Amino acid sequence: MLEFVLARYQHVLEPDHSEFAESFQALGQDARCLYVRLVNRKGTVFYRESLRYEEIGSMDAAVEELHARRFIRHISESDLPGLLSLQTRPTLAKTIRETDFPPELDVPRTGSARKGEMVKFAAAHLPLSAICPESSIDQYLVQDRIDELGYILFLYFGKLKSGLTDFALRDLGVMKTHRFKQEFKPRFTSKETALAAYFFRRRMAQLSTPETADIDNLCLEAADWPKIDDPDVEVLRGRAIHLLGNYLERFGDHQRALEIHQLSDQFPSTERSVRLLMKSGDRENAANLLEQMIENPSCDHELLFAEDFYERKFEKKRVGRLTQLLRDSPIVSLDESGRDYPENAAIRHLEKNGAEAFHTENLVWSQLFGLIFWDILFTGENAAIHTDFDRRPQGMASDTFFLKNEEAIRQRLSLLTDRKSTVQQVRQLWGRLEGTPNYFVHWSPELFDLTCRLITHSPSDSLAKILFDMATNWQANQSGFPDLMVIKDEQIRFIEIKAEGDQLRRNQLAQLERLKRSGIPVEILRLQWTVDPEQDYVVVDVETTGGNSQWNRVTEIGAVKVRNGEVIEEWSSLINPQRRIPGMITQLTGITDEMVANAPTFDVIADEFRGFVEGAVFVAHRAKFDYGFIRSEYQRIEQNFSCPTLCTVVETKRHFPGLASYGLANLCREFSIPLTSHHRALCDAQATAQILHRINEKRLHRASISTDQ
């Protein structure tokens, strides 16, 4: 990796970076091996004894050599958080318990506090000597020269990396690389551009886990952040400003957030500036900025926002464009068996009406883009591929790809009018390159067949217009395409599916309008779930050993099958969770270790329970919890579990708004439903079934009113 960087990036290296590379190359084999081990480990502080590996012949000599060339150093006060993270939780808890802190400090309860909480407290209130006395300093190694390493890795990978594991994954065959036969060019033509790109990547990394002190410093320096005449760097600068402004907004610091967002002329910071100006009462400047965005938008999304917001706030339009478009869309009523899979339910509905329908969303368009422009993207004279690991060419986040390849792109698009020839060309490319790792083409035969049909059935010139927009601004135009591709009578159209409660997003509206302009028919189809009296519902409640399905297990399942408002069957069983039940859970549910000791394990009852719920809608009070636990139990026995779900919490909020609480016990009191053994599965399922009955009565009543109207 170093040889690769030194051969291509000498023009962007500072003296410190060159000296780092030369120092590493001067190390002996043992020292190199030890340093690579350090680099590939998480963190920067390590137990020396944990670094003894078979390939390192002399640990002492390797450590001495790394110290001499500053690749490692002795531990210091600034390393305390990393040192604390190395400690086991019991060791950390013992240290905190045995330390006398001032009475005004809020010391974590070591019996229940999480390790992260204790690390944060100890880092703020303990000296280094409390964890690492002078006599034990040599037990630890601290990785040094992190900035130099980080910059060199950034030059190679084009993004922030802390280690070299990608090389190991490649050599083990876990990660595939494309291995295009070409001479890789450097990512950056100037030191100024490379350093600025690295600067903004680091700022964005800081903002992913910011501390208050970092935020204050970032706000102070943001106005002086480098401005480079490079589209890709400008995109990074805009993203960093947007992240910083958003962080300030989340914590209510709206004035500083506005000042930060106004440092950028990129969307979505421009949107945030308008909204913050309105929030502060500065309507005049908000209107001026909106007018500028409408006159000279940076992208379709910015234009859609500006036009819609201006109409609502300054021309007194009652509802936004997105809301109105959704309201004006046709509604199709379907039974609840498709509730959790609305696209599949819509496909079945369309197929009954003689159409072929496929859930393609963004994938078919990404596939088409990659196949049409493959050589321009990956092997052409201006292809921005810089290592075997690159899957997406550089410049796709800005307009660089288009600017460097405009003539070739326009020429390629002019050939799309001959659809038969285009299909033949992409088939040849597919046969030659199938399986090559990349960002755009997924090498799915089924998706490839749909891509060919898209080319065949689309109106003349339509695809060229859409691909042109994608090429000029990939970042803004790669997503938001409608859910379904529909073919009927050799005609193609696209449909965006919206189920109850779904919203239309701005990028979806942008793509709908783009497809319309290109001549491809598009529509929005709203799905409404109807209550079929003959539909089976299985109302389920589970009791568990805790709240997280990843770590905890089911101790009891209760299920009630309902049809036409009547309970037709019940099923319940205690489940042996194969672990102890915490005392607080026993206190809540009444289920003890003794009660489940001879109960069946989940794998024993799995087939019986699956048969009970088959063909029904899975109903639960807070369905995400119960359904999640059931799915996790099936996953543990390497089985899938999938069925439509209905949550009685969500539905009671929708159909009985304004209640003080939507907990099961409170709803039972509200509706006078018996709840004799709360937190036992069958009792809770029976009560939830009665809540479902009241919900469905409301739904049927509203459906009858709608039909009469």
Side-chain angles (χ1 to χ4, degrees):
M1 190 273 291
L2 274 178
E3 289 171 357
F4 186 97
V5 170
L6 290 173
R8 291 165 179 80
Y9 291 97
Q10 283 289 350
H11 63 294
V12 303
L13 296 178
E14 297 277 28
D16 284 351
H17 307 135
S18 299
E19 198 274 327
F20 174 95
E22 292 163 5
S23 293
F24 181 83
Q25 291 174 327
L27 292 173
Q29 181 76 2
D30 285 348
R32 288 189 184 201
C33 289
L34 178 56
Y35 184 64
V36 170
R37 289 290 189 178
L38 290 173
V39 167
N40 278 341
R41 281 199 169 196
K42 186 177 179 181
T44 58
V45 182
F46 311 96
Y47 283 119
R48 176 173 169 150
E49 288 304 307
S50 70
L51 293 164
R52 293 194 177 275
Y53 292 96
E54 187 177 334
E55 74 270 16
I56 301 173
S58 173
M59 182 70 164
D60 291 342
V63 168
E64 183 178 351
E65 198 173 351
L66 290 179
H67 267 298
R69 294 190 177 271
R70 298 189 298 110
F71 286 100
I72 59 175
R73 59 176 172 78
H74 292 297
I75 201 161
S76 66
E77 289 285 346
S78 64
D79 302 310
L80 183 56
L83 177 62
L84 290 165
S85 296
L86 282 184
Q87 313 302 309
T88 64
R89 189 187 180 285
T91 300
L92 196 54
K94 182 173 182 289
T95 302
I96 292 174
R97 283 196 304 270
E98 293 177 351
T99 302
D100 292 327
F101 295 103
E104 64 271 15
L105 279 183
D106 185 14
V107 182
R109 295 184 178 181
T110 55
S112 58
R114 295 187 176 186
K115 181 181 176 182
E117 182 184 351
M118 290 192 288
V119 167
K120 189 173 181 180
F121 174 83
H125 301 290
L126 285 177
L128 177 65
S129 58
I131 307 296
C132 179
E134 189 74 26
S135 59
S136 62
I137 281 179
D138 288 341
Q139 294 179 17
Y140 299 98
L141 303 179
V142 182
Q143 184 184 343
D144 204 0
R145 309 187 73 166
I146 293 171
D147 287 345
E148 292 99 315
L149 173 67
Y151 183 66
I152 289 171
L153 289 171
F154 173 71
L155 293 176
Y156 185 87
F157 288 105
K159 51 191 172 184
L160 295 188
K161 287 276 189 179
S162 59
L164 302 159
T165 52
D166 284 1
F167 290 100
L169 294 174
R170 178 198 65 187
D171 296 340
L172 290 167
V174 176
M175 177 187 290
K176 292 183 179 179
T177 56
H178 49 68
R179 302 190 183 278
F180 292 126
K181 296 185 181 347
Q182 64 184 76
E183 175 59 33
F184 295 119
K185 302 172 185 176
R187 297 179 192 279
F188 305 102
T189 56
S190 73
K191 184 186 297 186
E192 181 185 43
T193 302
L195 290 171
Y198 183 54
F199 174 90
F200 286 120
R201 286 288 186 187
R202 292 179 69 190
R203 292 301 177 271
M204 290 160 66
Q206 280 181 276
L207 287 163
S208 65
T209 54
E211 298 292 338
T212 305
D214 292 331
I215 292 298
D216 290 337
N217 289 332
L218 289 171
C219 288
L220 288 171
E221 69 174 29
D224 297 321
W225 282 353
K227 294 181 180 179
I228 304 295
D229 186 18
D230 180 274
D232 294 321
V233 175
E234 274 302 295
V235 167
L236 294 177
R237 181 177 181 274
R239 288 183 188 172
I241 287 171
H242 184 243
L243 285 171
L244 179 55
N246 275 5
Y247 182 88
L248 294 167
E249 283 190 70
R250 284 201 304 273
F251 289 90
D253 195 345
H254 293 148
Q255 182 55 44
R256 274 207 302 178
L258 175 60
E259 292 168 3
I260 294 300
H261 281 305
Q262 288 179 325
L263 295 173
S264 172
D265 60 0
Q266 292 183 31
F267 185 82
S269 274
T270 49
E271 175 182 345
R272 299 314 311 162
S273 293
V274 168
R275 293 186 182 278
L276 289 167
L277 285 168
M278 290 294 290
K279 189 184 287 287
S280 69
D282 190 350
R283 292 174 60 85
E284 181 179 354
N285 278 321
N288 290 338
L289 181 53
L290 285 167
E291 288 167 1
Q292 292 172 28
M293 293 160 70
I294 293 169
E295 182 69 24
N296 188 26
S298 63
C299 62
D300 288 349
H301 299 171
E302 184 173 78
L303 178 61
L304 288 172
F305 159 72
E307 289 180 338
D308 185 65
F309 198 83
Y310 193 91
E311 287 177 350
R312 286 190 293 114
K313 298 299 183 181
F314 296 96
E315 296 180 354
K316 306 301 182 185
K317 187 177 178 182
R318 297 190 64 181
V319 295
R321 191 170 172 185
L322 297 171
T323 303
Q324 190 62 54
L325 183 61
L326 200 56
R327 288 181 181 178
D328 293 342
S329 302
I331 299 175
V332 172
S333 296
L334 300 177
D335 71 82
E336 290 191 297
S337 63
R339 171 178 280 274
D340 278 7
Y341 308 96
E343 292 83 9
N344 291 347
I347 287 171
R348 291 195 296 270
H349 166 76
L350 291 162
E351 288 175 343
K352 287 179 183 177
N353 288 279
E356 293 182 278
F358 311 93
H359 189 183
T360 55
E361 211 161 332
N362 302 316
L363 287 175
V364 71
W365 296 101
S366 173
Q367 183 108 317
L368 178 65
F369 183 90
L371 291 170
I372 295 298
F373 296 128
W374 182 274
D375 57 330
I376 302 174
L377 288 163
F378 295 112
T379 60
E381 182 182 351
N382 294 320
I385 297 293
H386 307 291
T387 72
D388 286 331
F389 291 95
D390 288 351
R391 299 197 171 203
R392 187 174 89 169
Q394 189 179 11
M396 302 307 295
S398 66
D399 57 1
T400 306
F401 169 69
F402 178 76
L403 293 175
K404 287 185 175 180
N405 300 283
E406 180 175 358
E407 184 179 348
I409 289 169
R410 290 185 183 277
Q411 184 179 6
R412 184 62 48 82
L413 293 176
S414 69
L415 303 176
L416 282 175
T417 51
D418 187 343
R419 289 176 289 188
K420 186 175 180 180
S421 174
T422 301
V423 170
Q424 185 178 4
Q425 289 174 27
V426 298
R427 286 193 183 280
Q428 289 174 352
L429 186 143
W430 180 279
R432 181 164 50 88
L433 296 169
E434 184 177 1
T436 302
N438 73 102
Y439 180 83
F440 306 97
V441 183
H442 301 275
W443 307 118
S444 158
E446 294 80 10
L447 185 59
F448 177 67
D449 180 62
L450 293 179
T451 306
C452 292
R453 297 186 72 180
L454 171 62
I455 297 169
T456 301
H457 296 295
S458 293
S460 180
D461 294 338
S462 295
L463 296 182
K465 294 174 183 176
I466 296 166
L467 289 172
F468 179 82
D469 285 351
M470 294 174 74
T472 54
N473 194 341
W474 167 263
Q475 193 69 22
N477 299 327
Q478 65 175 311
S479 63
F481 286 99
D483 297 304
L484 305 184
M485 184 174 90
V486 182
I487 301 174
K488 186 177 182 181
D489 300 327
E490 301 299 311
Q491 300 296 312
I492 197 166
R493 72 184 194 275
F494 285 85
I495 300 178
E496 179 66 33
I497 302 300
K498 292 298 176 188
E500 295 174 357
D502 286 351
Q503 299 296 316
L504 185 65
R505 299 192 304 275
R506 202 177 297 137
N507 68 330
Q508 293 172 332
L509 175 58
Q511 294 294 17
L512 290 171
E513 294 192 344
R514 180 171 291 108
L515 288 165
K516 280 183 183 178
R517 289 196 304 269
S518 74
I520 296 178
V522 294
E523 60 187 280
I524 299 171
L525 197 62
R526 294 165 61 195
L527 303 188
Q528 176 179 278
W529 308 118
T530 59
V531 182
D532 179 357
E534 296 304 312
Q535 171 69 57
D536 283 354
Y537 298 87
V538 172
V539 186
V540 179
D541 184 82
V542 301
E543 302 301 332
T544 67
T545 60
N548 188 316
S549 62
Q550 185 177 359
W551 311 113
N552 293 288
R553 302 295 298 273
V554 171
T555 58
E556 187 177 35
I557 302 174
V560 176
K561 186 174 288 187
V562 177
R563 184 185 303 152
N564 208 3
E566 300 291 332
V567 175
I568 61 172
E569 197 174 353
E570 294 182 347
W571 187 95
S572 67
S573 177
L574 287 167
I575 309 291
N576 187 336
Q578 299 177 289
R579 65 185 61 186
R580 292 188 62 81
I581 300 173
M584 59 180 293
I585 298 295
T586 294
Q587 192 173 9
L588 178 69
T589 65
I591 300 173
T592 65
D593 290 324
E594 291 73 23
M595 291 169 63
V596 299
N598 296 316
T601 53
F602 184 83
D603 61 308
V604 174
I605 59 90
D607 290 344
E608 186 180 349
F609 180 74
R610 186 190 292 276
F612 188 78
V613 301
E614 190 172 2
V617 176
F618 184 109
V619 181
H621 204 69
R622 295 190 175 87
K624 187 177 180 180
F625 176 88
D626 300 83
Y627 186 67
F629 263 95
I630 295 293
R631 288 195 69 180
S632 292
E633 291 291 354
Y634 276 104
Q635 286 169 359
R636 288 188 181 96
I637 58 173
E638 299 182 349
Q639 294 183 25
N640 292 324
F641 180 80
S642 178
C643 57
T645 62
L646 184 148
C647 178
T648 51
V649 174
V650 173
E651 295 300 323
T652 48
K653 286 180 178 179
R654 179 177 295 163
H655 297 287
F656 298 92
L659 300 182
S661 168
Y662 291 87
L664 182 59
N666 290 315
L667 287 178
C668 286
R669 281 193 293 272
E670 179 75 28
F671 297 139
S672 301
I673 295 172
L675 189 64
T676 53
S677 301
H678 191 22
H679 294 302
R680 288 304 301 271
L682 186 58
C683 173
D684 286 359
Q686 290 166 338
T688 304
Q690 294 194 50
I691 292 172
L692 173 66
H693 180 62
R694 285 160 174 78
I695 291 168
N696 281 348
E697 282 182 330
K698 281 270 190 179
R699 295 169 71 202
L700 285 166
H701 178 65
R702 290 186 179 183
S704 66
I705 292 174
S706 177
T707 303
D708 292 342
Q709 292 175 344

